[in-house]
PDB file of all heavy atoms in Angstrom:
ATOM      1  N   GLU A   1     -40.823 -48.795 -57.459  1.00 96.00           N
ATOM      2  CA  GLU A   1     -41.136 -49.596 -58.783  1.00 96.00           C
ATOM      3  C   GLU A   1     -39.971 -49.413 -59.700  1.00 96.00           C
ATOM      4  O   GLU A   1     -39.685 -50.296 -60.548  1.00 96.00           O
ATOM      5  CB  GLU A   1     -42.442 -49.216 -59.374  1.00 96.00           C
ATOM      6  CG  GLU A   1     -43.654 -49.359 -58.453  1.00 96.00           C
ATOM      7  CD  GLU A   1     -43.891 -48.068 -57.666  1.00 96.00           C
ATOM      8  OE1 GLU A   1     -43.381 -46.980 -57.999  1.00 96.00           O
ATOM      9  OE2 GLU A   1     -44.614 -48.255 -56.618  1.00 96.00           O
ATOM     10  N   PHE A   2     -39.374 -48.157 -59.728  1.00 95.00           N
ATOM     11  CA  PHE A   2     -38.281 -47.877 -60.662  1.00 95.00           C
ATOM     12  C   PHE A   2     -37.152 -48.859 -60.471  1.00 95.00           C
ATOM     13  O   PHE A   2     -36.498 -49.261 -61.475  1.00 95.00           O
ATOM     14  CB  PHE A   2     -37.794 -46.441 -60.549  1.00 95.00           C
ATOM     15  CG  PHE A   2     -37.242 -46.112 -59.157  1.00 95.00           C
ATOM     16  CD1 PHE A   2     -35.919 -46.274 -58.882  1.00 95.00           C
ATOM     17  CD2 PHE A   2     -38.073 -45.536 -58.172  1.00 95.00           C
ATOM     18  CE1 PHE A   2     -35.419 -45.915 -57.621  1.00 95.00           C
ATOM     19  CE2 PHE A   2     -37.546 -45.263 -56.938  1.00 95.00           C
ATOM     20  CZ  PHE A   2     -36.206 -45.415 -56.668  1.00 95.00           C
ATOM     21  N   HIS A   3     -36.807 -49.171 -59.181  1.00 96.00           N
ATOM     22  CA  HIS A   3     -35.713 -50.171 -58.986  1.00 96.00           C
ATOM     23  C   HIS A   3     -36.050 -51.512 -59.522  1.00 96.00           C
ATOM     24  O   HIS A   3     -35.215 -52.181 -60.209  1.00 96.00           O
ATOM     25  CB  HIS A   3     -35.443 -50.255 -57.538  1.00 96.00           C
ATOM     26  CG  HIS A   3     -34.362 -51.293 -57.220  1.00 96.00           C
ATOM     27  ND1 HIS A   3     -33.010 -51.089 -57.445  1.00 96.00           N
ATOM     28  CD2 HIS A   3     -34.527 -52.673 -56.672  1.00 96.00           C
ATOM     29  CE1 HIS A   3     -32.410 -52.234 -57.007  1.00 96.00           C
ATOM     30  NE2 HIS A   3     -33.248 -53.099 -56.629  1.00 96.00           N
ATOM     31  N   LEU A   4     -37.362 -51.984 -59.374  1.00 98.00           N
ATOM     32  CA  LEU A   4     -37.675 -53.289 -59.850  1.00 98.00           C
ATOM     33  C   LEU A   4     -37.660 -53.304 -61.360  1.00 98.00           C
ATOM     34  O   LEU A   4     -37.159 -54.249 -61.999  1.00 98.00           O
ATOM     35  CB  LEU A   4     -39.097 -53.585 -59.330  1.00 98.00           C
ATOM     36  CG  LEU A   4     -39.622 -54.993 -59.811  1.00 98.00           C
ATOM     37  CD1 LEU A   4     -38.691 -56.079 -59.431  1.00 98.00           C
ATOM     38  CD2 LEU A   4     -41.062 -55.250 -59.151  1.00 98.00           C
ATOM     39  N   ARG A   5     -38.075 -52.279 -61.975  1.00 98.00           N
ATOM     40  CA  ARG A   5     -37.989 -52.177 -63.448  1.00 98.00           C
ATOM     41  C   ARG A   5     -36.604 -52.288 -63.933  1.00 98.00           C
ATOM     42  O   ARG A   5     -36.294 -52.967 -64.949  1.00 98.00           O
ATOM     43  CB  ARG A   5     -38.677 -50.888 -64.006  1.00 98.00           C
ATOM     44  CG  ARG A   5     -40.220 -50.815 -63.697  1.00 98.00           C
ATOM     45  CD  ARG A   5     -40.847 -49.606 -64.312  1.00 98.00           C
ATOM     46  NE  ARG A   5     -42.239 -49.491 -64.006  1.00 98.00           N
ATOM     47  CZ  ARG A   5     -42.812 -48.597 -63.222  1.00 98.00           C
ATOM     48  NH1 ARG A   5     -42.053 -47.665 -62.661  1.00 98.00           N
ATOM     49  NH2 ARG A   5     -44.095 -48.580 -63.015  1.00 98.00           N
ATOM     50  N   LEU A   6     -35.688 -51.537 -63.322  1.00 97.00           N
ATOM     51  CA  LEU A   6     -34.303 -51.585 -63.648  1.00 97.00           C
ATOM     52  C   LEU A   6     -33.767 -53.022 -63.522  1.00 97.00           C
ATOM     53  O   LEU A   6     -33.057 -53.444 -64.519  1.00 97.00           O
ATOM     54  CB  LEU A   6     -33.502 -50.587 -62.847  1.00 97.00           C
ATOM     55  CG  LEU A   6     -31.960 -50.573 -63.012  1.00 97.00           C
ATOM     56  CD1 LEU A   6     -31.599 -50.159 -64.439  1.00 97.00           C
ATOM     57  CD2 LEU A   6     -31.266 -49.630 -62.034  1.00 97.00           C
ATOM     58  N   ARG A   7     -33.994 -53.609 -62.412  1.00 97.00           N
ATOM     59  CA  ARG A   7     -33.455 -54.933 -62.197  1.00 97.00           C
ATOM     60  C   ARG A   7     -34.072 -55.988 -63.193  1.00 97.00           C
ATOM     61  O   ARG A   7     -33.377 -56.908 -63.583  1.00 97.00           O
ATOM     62  CB  ARG A   7     -33.752 -55.362 -60.720  1.00 97.00           C
ATOM     63  CG  ARG A   7     -32.857 -54.553 -59.772  1.00 97.00           C
ATOM     64  CD  ARG A   7     -31.401 -54.906 -59.928  1.00 97.00           C
ATOM     65  NE  ARG A   7     -31.030 -56.240 -59.445  1.00 97.00           N
ATOM     66  CZ  ARG A   7     -30.157 -57.087 -60.077  1.00 97.00           C
ATOM     67  NH1 ARG A   7     -29.554 -56.649 -61.231  1.00 97.00           N
ATOM     68  NH2 ARG A   7     -29.968 -58.256 -59.696  1.00 97.00           N
ATOM     69  N   LEU A   8     -35.297 -55.784 -63.488  1.00 98.00           N
ATOM     70  CA  LEU A   8     -35.963 -56.676 -64.461  1.00 98.00           C
ATOM     71  C   LEU A   8     -35.127 -56.698 -65.801  1.00 98.00           C
ATOM     72  O   LEU A   8     -34.846 -57.711 -66.392  1.00 98.00           O
ATOM     73  CB  LEU A   8     -37.359 -56.351 -64.730  1.00 98.00           C
ATOM     74  CG  LEU A   8     -38.405 -56.774 -63.596  1.00 98.00           C
ATOM     75  CD1 LEU A   8     -39.729 -56.038 -63.818  1.00 98.00           C
ATOM     76  CD2 LEU A   8     -38.579 -58.270 -63.613  1.00 98.00           C
ATOM     77  N   SER A   9     -34.820 -55.465 -66.243  1.00 97.00           N
ATOM     78  CA  SER A   9     -34.155 -55.316 -67.472  1.00 97.00           C
ATOM     79  C   SER A   9     -32.723 -55.971 -67.438  1.00 97.00           C
ATOM     80  O   SER A   9     -32.155 -56.607 -68.265  1.00 97.00           O
ATOM     81  CB  SER A   9     -33.960 -53.866 -67.921  1.00 97.00           C
ATOM     82  OG  SER A   9     -33.195 -53.135 -66.972  1.00 97.00           O
ATOM     83  N   GLU A  10     -32.047 -55.829 -66.211  1.00 97.00           N
ATOM     84  CA  GLU A  10     -30.717 -56.392 -65.952  1.00 97.00           C
ATOM     85  C   GLU A  10     -30.751 -57.838 -65.887  1.00 97.00           C
ATOM     86  O   GLU A  10     -29.749 -58.519 -66.206  1.00 97.00           O
ATOM     87  CB  GLU A  10     -30.169 -55.747 -64.769  1.00 97.00           C
ATOM     88  CG  GLU A  10     -29.816 -54.239 -64.860  1.00 97.00           C
ATOM     89  CD  GLU A  10     -29.441 -53.635 -63.530  1.00 97.00           C
ATOM     90  OE1 GLU A  10     -29.682 -54.232 -62.461  1.00 97.00           O
ATOM     91  OE2 GLU A  10     -28.862 -52.532 -63.550  1.00 97.00           O
ATOM     92  N   LEU A  11     -31.795 -58.437 -65.404  1.00 97.00           N
ATOM     93  CA  LEU A  11     -31.923 -59.849 -65.206  1.00 97.00           C
ATOM     94  C   LEU A  11     -32.536 -60.642 -66.304  1.00 97.00           C
ATOM     95  O   LEU A  11     -32.702 -61.887 -66.261  1.00 97.00           O
ATOM     96  CB  LEU A  11     -32.791 -60.189 -63.893  1.00 97.00           C
ATOM     97  CG  LEU A  11     -32.239 -59.724 -62.582  1.00 97.00           C
ATOM     98  CD1 LEU A  11     -33.242 -59.771 -61.462  1.00 97.00           C
ATOM     99  CD2 LEU A  11     -30.967 -60.589 -62.185  1.00 97.00           C
ATOM    100  N   GLY A  12     -32.749 -59.966 -67.377  1.00 97.00           N
ATOM    101  CA  GLY A  12     -33.232 -60.688 -68.568  1.00 97.00           C
ATOM    102  C   GLY A  12     -34.746 -60.828 -68.587  1.00 97.00           C
ATOM    103  O   GLY A  12     -35.250 -61.826 -69.072  1.00 97.00           O
ATOM    104  N   PHE A  13     -35.509 -59.875 -68.202  1.00 98.00           N
ATOM    105  CA  PHE A  13     -36.946 -59.828 -68.245  1.00 98.00           C
ATOM    106  C   PHE A  13     -37.473 -58.741 -69.136  1.00 98.00           C
ATOM    107  O   PHE A  13     -36.734 -57.684 -69.268  1.00 98.00           O
ATOM    108  CB  PHE A  13     -37.575 -59.779 -66.858  1.00 98.00           C
ATOM    109  CG  PHE A  13     -37.448 -60.923 -65.959  1.00 98.00           C
ATOM    110  CD1 PHE A  13     -36.319 -61.065 -65.167  1.00 98.00           C
ATOM    111  CD2 PHE A  13     -38.347 -61.879 -65.959  1.00 98.00           C
ATOM    112  CE1 PHE A  13     -36.090 -62.089 -64.329  1.00 98.00           C
ATOM    113  CE2 PHE A  13     -38.143 -63.086 -65.131  1.00 98.00           C
ATOM    114  CZ  PHE A  13     -37.109 -63.171 -64.291  1.00 98.00           C
ATOM    115  N   THR A  14     -38.640 -58.853 -69.666  1.00 98.00           N
ATOM    116  CA  THR A  14     -39.239 -57.824 -70.416  1.00 98.00           C
ATOM    117  C   THR A  14     -40.686 -57.501 -69.762  1.00 98.00           C
ATOM    118  O   THR A  14     -41.357 -58.521 -69.497  1.00 98.00           O
ATOM    119  CB  THR A  14     -39.331 -58.053 -71.843  1.00 98.00           C
ATOM    120  OG1 THR A  14     -39.911 -56.863 -72.533  1.00 98.00           O
ATOM    121  CG2 THR A  14     -40.201 -59.245 -72.189  1.00 98.00           C
ATOM    122  N   ILE A  15     -41.011 -56.277 -69.559  1.00 98.00           N
ATOM    123  CA  ILE A  15     -42.292 -55.903 -69.036  1.00 98.00           C
ATOM    124  C   ILE A  15     -43.341 -56.053 -70.109  1.00 98.00           C
ATOM    125  O   ILE A  15     -43.238 -55.394 -71.151  1.00 98.00           O
ATOM    126  CB  ILE A  15     -42.287 -54.570 -68.409  1.00 98.00           C
ATOM    127  CG1 ILE A  15     -41.401 -54.560 -67.160  1.00 98.00           C
ATOM    128  CG2 ILE A  15     -43.680 -54.084 -68.025  1.00 98.00           C
ATOM    129  CD1 ILE A  15     -41.066 -53.141 -66.603  1.00 98.00           C
ATOM    130  N   THR A  16     -44.418 -56.812 -69.851  1.00 98.00           N
ATOM    131  CA  THR A  16     -45.468 -56.913 -70.893  1.00 98.00           C
ATOM    132  C   THR A  16     -46.744 -56.093 -70.556  1.00 98.00           C
ATOM    133  O   THR A  16     -47.483 -55.741 -71.476  1.00 98.00           O
ATOM    134  CB  THR A  16     -45.912 -58.431 -70.936  1.00 98.00           C
ATOM    135  OG1 THR A  16     -46.383 -58.908 -69.705  1.00 98.00           O
ATOM    136  CG2 THR A  16     -44.740 -59.265 -71.406  1.00 98.00           C
ATOM    137  N   ASP A  17     -46.875 -55.765 -69.386  1.00 98.00           N
ATOM    138  CA  ASP A  17     -48.064 -54.849 -68.928  1.00 98.00           C
ATOM    139  C   ASP A  17     -47.858 -54.362 -67.478  1.00 98.00           C
ATOM    140  O   ASP A  17     -47.081 -54.972 -66.749  1.00 98.00           O
ATOM    141  CB  ASP A  17     -49.356 -55.593 -69.107  1.00 98.00           C
ATOM    142  CG  ASP A  17     -50.556 -54.700 -69.418  1.00 98.00           C
ATOM    143  OD1 ASP A  17     -50.356 -53.467 -69.378  1.00 98.00           O
ATOM    144  OD2 ASP A  17     -51.589 -55.190 -69.889  1.00 98.00           O
ATOM    145  N   GLU A  18     -48.557 -53.308 -67.199  1.00 98.00           N
ATOM    146  CA  GLU A  18     -48.556 -52.742 -65.839  1.00 98.00           C
ATOM    147  C   GLU A  18     -49.894 -52.227 -65.524  1.00 98.00           C
ATOM    148  O   GLU A  18     -50.710 -51.727 -66.462  1.00 98.00           O
ATOM    149  CB  GLU A  18     -47.525 -51.584 -65.876  1.00 98.00           C
ATOM    150  CG  GLU A  18     -46.107 -52.062 -66.019  1.00 98.00           C
ATOM    151  CD  GLU A  18     -45.136 -50.849 -66.044  1.00 98.00           C
ATOM    152  OE1 GLU A  18     -45.271 -50.005 -66.973  1.00 98.00           O
ATOM    153  OE2 GLU A  18     -44.290 -50.755 -65.139  1.00 98.00           O
ATOM    154  N   PHE A  19     -50.259 -52.177 -64.260  1.00 98.00           N
ATOM    155  CA  PHE A  19     -51.550 -51.686 -63.753  1.00 98.00           C
ATOM    156  C   PHE A  19     -51.355 -50.965 -62.461  1.00 98.00           C
ATOM    157  O   PHE A  19     -50.369 -51.163 -61.750  1.00 98.00           O
ATOM    158  CB  PHE A  19     -52.534 -52.828 -63.517  1.00 98.00           C
ATOM    159  CG  PHE A  19     -52.730 -53.778 -64.711  1.00 98.00           C
ATOM    160  CD1 PHE A  19     -51.837 -54.932 -64.840  1.00 98.00           C
ATOM    161  CD2 PHE A  19     -53.588 -53.565 -65.652  1.00 98.00           C
ATOM    162  CE1 PHE A  19     -52.017 -55.810 -65.904  1.00 98.00           C
ATOM    163  CE2 PHE A  19     -53.796 -54.318 -66.744  1.00 98.00           C
ATOM    164  CZ  PHE A  19     -53.053 -55.459 -66.863  1.00 98.00           C
ATOM    165  N   VAL A  20     -52.282 -50.135 -62.172  1.00 97.00           N
ATOM    166  CA  VAL A  20     -52.266 -49.396 -60.841  1.00 97.00           C
ATOM    167  C   VAL A  20     -53.611 -49.614 -60.199  1.00 97.00           C
ATOM    168  O   VAL A  20     -54.680 -49.487 -60.885  1.00 97.00           O
ATOM    169  CB  VAL A  20     -51.892 -47.919 -60.881  1.00 97.00           C
ATOM    170  CG1 VAL A  20     -52.918 -47.135 -61.712  1.00 97.00           C
ATOM    171  CG2 VAL A  20     -51.701 -47.311 -59.531  1.00 97.00           C
ATOM    172  N   VAL A  21     -53.634 -50.025 -58.956  1.00 96.00           N
ATOM    173  CA  VAL A  21     -54.903 -50.237 -58.169  1.00 96.00           C
ATOM    174  C   VAL A  21     -54.929 -49.319 -56.951  1.00 96.00           C
ATOM    175  O   VAL A  21     -53.887 -49.191 -56.253  1.00 96.00           O
ATOM    176  CB  VAL A  21     -54.988 -51.719 -57.718  1.00 96.00           C
ATOM    177  CG1 VAL A  21     -56.221 -51.948 -56.909  1.00 96.00           C
ATOM    178  CG2 VAL A  21     -54.886 -52.627 -58.839  1.00 96.00           C
ATOM    179  N   HIS A  22     -56.073 -48.639 -56.738  1.00 95.00           N
ATOM    180  CA  HIS A  22     -56.203 -47.758 -55.612  1.00 95.00           C
ATOM    181  C   HIS A  22     -57.110 -48.452 -54.610  1.00 95.00           C
ATOM    182  O   HIS A  22     -58.260 -48.717 -54.809  1.00 95.00           O
ATOM    183  CB  HIS A  22     -56.829 -46.427 -55.991  1.00 95.00           C
ATOM    184  CG  HIS A  22     -56.911 -45.476 -54.874  1.00 95.00           C
ATOM    185  ND1 HIS A  22     -58.064 -44.929 -54.399  1.00 95.00           N
ATOM    186  CD2 HIS A  22     -55.891 -44.976 -54.064  1.00 95.00           C
ATOM    187  CE1 HIS A  22     -57.807 -44.099 -53.374  1.00 95.00           C
ATOM    188  NE2 HIS A  22     -56.519 -44.092 -53.164  1.00 95.00           N
ATOM    189  N   ASP A  23     -56.475 -48.788 -53.440  1.00 91.00           N
ATOM    190  CA  ASP A  23     -57.180 -49.440 -52.415  1.00 91.00           C
ATOM    191  C   ASP A  23     -56.609 -48.842 -51.122  1.00 91.00           C
ATOM    192  O   ASP A  23     -55.812 -49.424 -50.421  1.00 91.00           O
ATOM    193  CB  ASP A  23     -56.864 -50.928 -52.459  1.00 91.00           C
ATOM    194  CG  ASP A  23     -57.763 -51.735 -51.506  1.00 91.00           C
ATOM    195  OD1 ASP A  23     -58.646 -51.167 -50.896  1.00 91.00           O
ATOM    196  OD2 ASP A  23     -57.386 -52.949 -51.303  1.00 91.00           O
ATOM    197  N   ARG A  24     -57.089 -47.616 -50.809  1.00 91.00           N
ATOM    198  CA  ARG A  24     -56.619 -46.749 -49.695  1.00 91.00           C
ATOM    199  C   ARG A  24     -55.299 -46.172 -50.111  1.00 91.00           C
ATOM    200  O   ARG A  24     -55.037 -44.996 -50.012  1.00 91.00           O
ATOM    201  CB  ARG A  24     -56.503 -47.466 -48.365  1.00 91.00           C
ATOM    202  CG  ARG A  24     -57.790 -47.908 -47.799  1.00 91.00           C
ATOM    203  CD  ARG A  24     -57.677 -48.534 -46.471  1.00 91.00           C
ATOM    204  NE  ARG A  24     -57.011 -47.743 -45.475  1.00 91.00           N
ATOM    205  CZ  ARG A  24     -56.095 -48.286 -44.619  1.00 91.00           C
ATOM    206  NH1 ARG A  24     -55.815 -49.503 -44.631  1.00 91.00           N
ATOM    207  NH2 ARG A  24     -55.530 -47.443 -43.754  1.00 91.00           N
ATOM    208  N   PHE A  25     -54.337 -47.065 -50.628  1.00 93.00           N
ATOM    209  CA  PHE A  25     -53.098 -46.624 -51.180  1.00 93.00           C
ATOM    210  C   PHE A  25     -53.092 -46.999 -52.651  1.00 93.00           C
ATOM    211  O   PHE A  25     -53.872 -47.747 -53.136  1.00 93.00           O
ATOM    212  CB  PHE A  25     -51.938 -47.266 -50.400  1.00 93.00           C
ATOM    213  CG  PHE A  25     -51.906 -47.015 -48.917  1.00 93.00           C
ATOM    214  CD1 PHE A  25     -52.387 -48.019 -48.097  1.00 93.00           C
ATOM    215  CD2 PHE A  25     -51.405 -45.820 -48.396  1.00 93.00           C
ATOM    216  CE1 PHE A  25     -52.425 -47.817 -46.728  1.00 93.00           C
ATOM    217  CE2 PHE A  25     -51.536 -45.685 -47.036  1.00 93.00           C
ATOM    218  CZ  PHE A  25     -52.033 -46.621 -46.183  1.00 93.00           C
ATOM    219  N   TYR A  26     -52.082 -46.543 -53.381  1.00 96.00           N
ATOM    220  CA  TYR A  26     -51.901 -46.908 -54.746  1.00 96.00           C
ATOM    221  C   TYR A  26     -50.862 -48.091 -54.803  1.00 96.00           C
ATOM    222  O   TYR A  26     -49.834 -48.055 -54.124  1.00 96.00           O
ATOM    223  CB  TYR A  26     -51.291 -45.772 -55.564  1.00 96.00           C
ATOM    224  CG  TYR A  26     -52.372 -44.728 -55.926  1.00 96.00           C
ATOM    225  CD1 TYR A  26     -52.448 -43.547 -55.178  1.00 96.00           C
ATOM    226  CD2 TYR A  26     -53.294 -44.966 -56.967  1.00 96.00           C
ATOM    227  CE1 TYR A  26     -53.497 -42.620 -55.558  1.00 96.00           C
ATOM    228  CE2 TYR A  26     -54.272 -44.032 -57.263  1.00 96.00           C
ATOM    229  CZ  TYR A  26     -54.353 -42.845 -56.575  1.00 96.00           C
ATOM    230  OH  TYR A  26     -55.251 -41.932 -56.914  1.00 96.00           O
TER     231      TYR A  26
END
């Protein structure tokens, strides 16, 4: 996820919210 967050900032996006779901895995 850290790579995606970095690329979002580089590509001109801003993160508005985040969630985590546990369904066997996170």
Side-chain angles (χ1 to χ4, degrees):
E1 302 89 20
F2 61 88
H3 173 77
L4 181 54
R5 293 183 183 114
L6 175 62
R7 290 296 288 141
L8 284 168
S9 68
E10 294 172 342
L11 292 169
F13 290 90
T14 184
I15 294 172
T16 59
D17 211 344
E18 296 174 297
F19 306 92
V20 63
V21 179
H22 185 239
D23 187 11
R24 293 181 59 220
F25 304 99
Y26 284 100

